[in-house]
Amino acid sequence: MNAIELRQIHVQVQQKHILKGIDLTIEEGDFVTLLGPSGCGKTTLLRTIAGLQKLNGGTVVISGNKVADGSLAFHLDPAKRGVSLVFQSYALWPHMTVFDNVAFGLQVRKQPKAEIRKSVRAALDKMRIPELADRYPGELSGGQQQRVAIARAIVTNPSILLLDEPLSNLDAKLRTEMRAELKRLHRELGTTIVYVTHDQHEAITLSTKVAVFFGGELVQADTPRELYRHPRTLQVAEFMGSSDHPLNRVEGMCRVNGNESILGTPLGSFRLAGPDGGADRAVVLTLRPEDIALHETRVPGSIPVKVEDVLPAGGETLVRASFGQEKLSARVMGDPDYVLGRVLYATFREDRINLYDRETGSRLDTKLTTITPVLEEMHR
């Protein structure tokens, strides 16, 4: 059974169209991350699922039950939807102990005290904070407060857990630790999790599926591997890069020559194959920094590049290099001591290159089968 089905979701807030026809299916046990820049609508969608935001059009179905229908102005109360929500601000009661904060939802349901104690202890154990039961939120670190907030959410054994940027207030070390805890929790509980973030690394690390949003529209929903390796649009491809590992982008032209389709770029010429390769068009070639290899001596199919900058980062190094007017970034494992201005030789993983129509931004279904000798001829 599907845990959540969203069909043609439209939401307007203060006459502004925030969500524009969202279609998304989340299966039971999935860890789905809603990813996108600030203002793209991902938190609004989470609030719509939770019932904190009414929709203007479309339907929301949770565990087979319709909980919202815009055409009928039907909106089921949040408390009756069988979901738990963890806010970015944690929203802990400052005058209550950790135990009482976690127990609050069970007390509202008027469960027996013995059952409440057992459930709260189990939730605190799952979050590895049983020793904090008698403390108050003001006595806790940010990471501890986050664990308490999640313990409060899971104590009722919800089938669906909604998390709204829960790690954004933590420092880098704590975020890494909490990512591991969330993965462990998902693995142990099997709960369906819907998670909101603008952090691409976080999304790829945690999720079974990632849904990318821009301007209130769902652009691509895929596995982390497929999303990273084969972004559906140029906009997604560039968003999935980062300032630390920027996407390499090269302009080019596809030309059909008889039975062959040739891609000409400043890096040289490539022979194309595939259903979208048989048309003349302007394209953009993209390649991740880790898919460029640098060699100290010339190898077949390589191009000479000049080292412009070396940015060590512990176990890896980002090397910025130039090839004529083109700027390339290569991710190298280790900490090579390259001298600025030195000439190295770059090769590319052809199977990792993506091509996009320059006008539409859509990915083309083509493959680079060979690199023609022009790459070496250009610089002999």
Side-chain angles (χ1 to χ4, degrees):
M1 181 188 294
N2 294 324
I4 301 172
E5 297 176 39
L6 307 174
R7 294 290 175 261
Q8 283 299 297
I9 300 299
H10 288 268
V11 171
Q12 294 183 9
V13 178
Q14 297 179 347
Q15 299 185 331
K16 183 178 180 181
H17 204 170
I18 304 299
L19 297 178
K20 307 169 184 176
I22 304 300
D23 286 304
L24 180 63
T25 298
I26 299 173
E27 298 177 1
E28 284 188 354
D30 264 352
F31 192 129
V32 175
T33 295
L34 310 182
L35 175 68
S38 298
C40 70
K42 54 189 185 295
T43 293
T44 300
L45 184 61
L46 194 77
R47 289 171 57 83
T48 302
I49 295 170
L52 301 178
Q53 173 66 54
K54 292 185 178 181
L55 48 76
N56 298 91
T59 60
V60 178
V61 177
I62 296 179
S63 300
N65 301 310
K66 185 185 291 187
V67 299
D69 189 328
S71 64
L72 302 176
F74 170 62
H75 180 84
L76 189 66
D77 187 84
K80 299 178 181 179
R81 297 196 176 195
V83 302
S84 287
L85 176 61
V86 177
F87 296 95
Q88 182 178 0
S89 61
Y90 314 145
L92 300 177
W93 297 102
H95 63 287
M96 291 184 180
T97 64
V98 166
F99 183 96
D100 290 334
N101 264 283
V102 176
F104 184 77
L106 302 176
Q107 292 168 345
V108 169
R109 299 181 183 189
K110 298 182 179 180
Q111 292 191 5
K113 289 185 178 180
E115 192 174 315
I116 289 176
R117 283 196 298 271
K118 181 179 178 181
S119 297
V120 171
R121 292 296 179 186
L124 294 177
D125 284 342
K126 286 172 184 174
M127 293 310 301
R128 300 179 179 177
I129 51 171
E131 71 282 359
L132 303 181
D134 297 326
R135 297 190 192 178
Y136 290 87
E139 300 173 321
L140 307 179
S141 68
Q144 290 171 331
Q145 290 185 45
Q146 180 61 80
R147 290 171 186 261
V148 174
I150 296 174
R152 183 178 59 185
I154 67 173
V155 73
T156 57
N157 295 314
S159 59
I160 298 171
L161 182 60
L162 310 178
L163 302 171
D164 185 13
E165 301 207 49
L167 310 185
S168 61
N169 295 329
L170 305 181
D171 61 36
K173 184 175 183 297
L174 276 176
R175 279 203 305 273
T176 300
E177 291 177 1
M178 282 305 302
R179 284 174 194 154
E181 287 298 297
L182 287 173
K183 288 207 72 164
R184 177 186 62 82
L185 196 66
H186 178 246
R187 185 171 58 249
E188 292 178 358
L189 300 182
T191 303
T192 303
I193 295 179
V194 184
Y195 187 96
V196 167
T197 185
H198 60 272
D199 187 316
Q200 303 94 316
H201 179 71
E202 200 163 272
I204 290 174
T205 301
L206 291 173
S207 314
T208 59
K209 183 186 291 184
V210 180
V212 182
F213 292 78
F214 289 105
E217 297 181 349
L218 175 59
V219 181
Q220 184 173 355
D222 245 318
T223 64
R225 181 185 296 274
E226 185 67 15
L227 182 69
Y228 188 76
R229 288 301 177 195
H230 301 108
R232 193 170 297 164
T233 69
L234 186 57
Q235 187 181 33
V236 174
E238 292 180 328
F239 182 73
M240 293 306 295
S242 68
S243 58
D244 294 334
H245 301 104
L247 183 72
N248 292 293
R249 170 176 169 151
V250 179
E251 306 283 332
M253 286 293 300
C254 286
R255 299 290 188 191
V256 177
N257 183 13
N259 294 326
E260 285 191 327
S261 183
I262 303 298
L263 168 63
T265 77
L267 303 182
S269 298
F270 302 81
R271 185 176 292 113
L272 301 180
D276 288 342
D280 291 352
R281 69 179 96 208
V283 300
V284 177
L285 176 155
T286 66
L287 191 63
R288 303 281 179 196
E290 61 267 27
D291 297 323
I292 296 179
L294 297 178
H295 311 268
E296 297 192 5
T297 58
R298 185 186 294 273
V299 298
S302 65
I303 60 172
V305 296
K306 184 170 70 172
V307 176
E308 300 285 351
D309 204 359
V310 179
L311 305 172
E316 63 182 34
T317 300
L318 186 71
V319 179
R320 300 185 189 275
S322 60
F323 177 73
Q325 299 300 312
E326 295 297 319
K327 304 297 182 183
L328 299 173
S329 295
R331 181 182 176 190
V332 179
M333 299 308 295
D335 56 347
D337 188 20
Y338 294 140
V339 177
L340 300 188
R342 178 179 177 179
V343 174
L344 299 172
Y345 296 89
T347 56
F348 315 107
R349 289 195 58 172
E350 297 174 17
D351 59 322
R352 297 291 178 85
I353 292 176
N354 287 307
L355 288 182
Y356 297 89
D357 186 294
R358 191 190 303 172
E359 182 176 349
T360 66
S362 298
R363 183 167 61 86
L364 302 177
D365 187 6
T366 59
K367 293 183 179 180
L368 281 73
T369 54
T370 61
I371 300 179
T372 65
V374 68
L375 288 175
E376 294 185 359
E377 292 290 343
M378 289 169 61
H379 292 275
R380 283 182 178 173

